[in-house]
Amino acid sequence: MTTAHHPHAVEPAALAAPRGIDQIVAGVSTSDGDGVKLTRVLHQTLQQRLDPYLMLDAFGSDNPGDYIGGFPSHPHRGFETVTYMIAGRMRHRDSAGHEGLLENGGVQWMTAGRGLVHSELPEQEEGLMEGFQLWLNLPAKDKMRKPWYRDIQSAEIPEFTTPAGVHVRVIAGESHGIAGAVQRDHTEPLYLDITLPPGAEFAQPLAPDHNALIYVFRESLYIAGSEIPTKRMAILANAADSDGVLLHAPASNHSPARALLIAGKPLHEPIAQYGPFVMNTREQVTQAMHDFQNGKLG
């Protein structure tokens, strides 16, 4: 069995015109599932701006009351869910008969397609549970495709370290010649988990028409001279001549900064959402609700 890890140093890319920041978003505290406390960083009002992404939730607590209820059975149709666990254990089951255990550093990538019902429930009664759930839209032609899903264990996620000591996990897309665990043709998602020692820089090429965000969840980072504090999302500016993003961890950080860099190719299609159903028209959403009520969704 080949290991996905690439411990060798990778030379950083040189950028001619790195992106700046459009806006910094604090996120909204909310709860979902059976009372799981989380921060909705990318919410509905930002869906067109961050197309093809629909939602990003961050959760993290060592208080079991904040997460123990988990996410009991609920439906999805029309998009993909990407769950990334930083710490903790979550058992998932779905109506297609899939079952798996998501553990520290692992990812569950689920394509809901025409629909399924699934549950995500904690397999721990104490300790820290921390992670993220990202919703990635599907193009109109694929919204009713057959559901698909993959459990990606931590050891299967390709990783590399730059000469500056920056450690990168490549969940999707490609970085510095290292292909990620998942690739998608139409939305071309890039999903990196980047850890930067104090004073380190990291450059990532990005196509100018791709929408991109950075979510900082340890310490702080600078982009184009602007600070992104911890637990904040920066929406990167789009410019026709831009060729990527340059992250800088201030030398004053007490410990390594850590952030998610997420980018993708916009679909430029209408978005009609009602809760767990994301389609292109209201009629399609109504049909999804009808199918769910009649037991036809998974």
Side-chain angles (χ1 to χ4, degrees):
M1 179 180 163
T2 58
T3 173
H5 292 245
H6 300 265
H8 58 274
V10 177
E11 282 300 329
L15 298 175
R19 295 190 188 202
I21 294 174
D22 241 8
Q23 60 173 301
I24 293 178
V25 178
V28 179
S29 293
T30 183
S31 70
D32 212 334
D34 187 10
V36 178
K37 290 186 179 175
L38 48 84
T39 301
R40 185 142 296 159
V41 187
L42 194 179
H43 42 80
Q44 241 168 308
T45 58
L46 294 172
Q47 287 176 342
Q48 295 289 353
R49 176 61 186 83
L50 287 167
D51 178 12
Y53 297 102
L54 301 162
M55 190 185 84
L56 176 63
D57 284 347
F59 52 91
S61 177
D62 52 15
N63 173 10
D66 291 347
Y67 62 72
I68 204 71
F71 303 92
S73 290
H74 57 281
H76 288 301
R77 173 179 278 181
F79 60 99
E80 304 190 84
T81 67
V82 184
T83 309
Y84 179 33
M85 293 295 283
I86 301 291
R89 293 155 58 85
M90 195 96 86
R91 169 79 55 186
H92 59 85
R93 295 182 174 89
D94 70 36
S95 53
H98 301 126
E99 182 178 334
L101 183 63
L102 200 49
E103 299 188 78
N104 296 12
V107 170
Q108 186 214 23
W109 197 293
M110 185 181 85
T111 306
R114 61 177 175 252
L116 42 68
V117 177
H118 78 152
S119 64
E120 301 148 294
L121 300 172
E123 286 252 321
Q124 63 188 61
E125 292 172 6
E126 57 183 33
L128 174 66
M129 178 169 283
E130 182 182 14
F132 304 93
Q133 187 168 84
L134 178 70
W135 287 12
L136 171 62
N137 208 356
L138 283 168
K141 68 176 194 59
D142 291 337
K143 283 189 175 290
M144 294 297 283
R145 58 157 284 177
K146 182 182 175 187
W148 175 93
Y149 112 113
R150 183 177 160 205
D151 261 332
I152 305 163
Q153 301 303 326
S154 186
E156 298 172 60
I157 296 176
E159 303 181 352
F160 67 88
T161 304
T162 71
V166 177
H167 185 73
V168 183
R169 310 191 80 215
V170 192
I171 295 166
E174 183 186 294
S175 180
H176 296 63
I178 304 298
V182 174
Q183 311 293 327
R184 285 286 179 270
D185 289 343
H186 292 278
T187 47
E188 298 178 25
L190 175 74
Y191 192 157
L192 308 178
D193 174 3
I194 308 168
T195 303
L196 302 93
E201 287 193 337
F202 178 76
Q204 173 63 36
L206 297 170
D209 63 325
H210 287 201
N211 290 323
L213 67 90
I214 305 275
Y215 182 71
V216 179
F217 62 103
R218 296 280 190 277
E219 294 281 356
S220 67
L221 283 177
Y222 278 84
I223 292 178
S226 297
E227 184 183 15
I228 313 166
T230 193
K231 305 284 196 288
R232 295 289 186 273
M233 173 176 75
I235 298 175
L236 300 187
N238 296 69
D241 65 341
S242 68
D243 58 357
V245 63
L246 182 63
L247 309 181
H248 173 73
S252 57
N253 277 355
H254 298 297
S255 59
R258 195 168 174 189
L260 303 179
L261 169 55
I262 297 170
K265 183 178 182 179
L267 290 167
H268 298 302
E269 293 176 352
I271 298 169
Q273 176 178 0
Y274 181 79
F277 310 121
V278 185
M279 304 301 288
N280 300 109
T281 68
R282 287 181 62 176
E283 291 75 17
Q284 291 168 338
V285 170
T286 303
Q287 185 64 50
M289 292 163 63
H290 183 79
D291 290 349
F292 176 57
Q293 286 155 0
N294 288 286
K296 295 179 184 172
L297 215 116

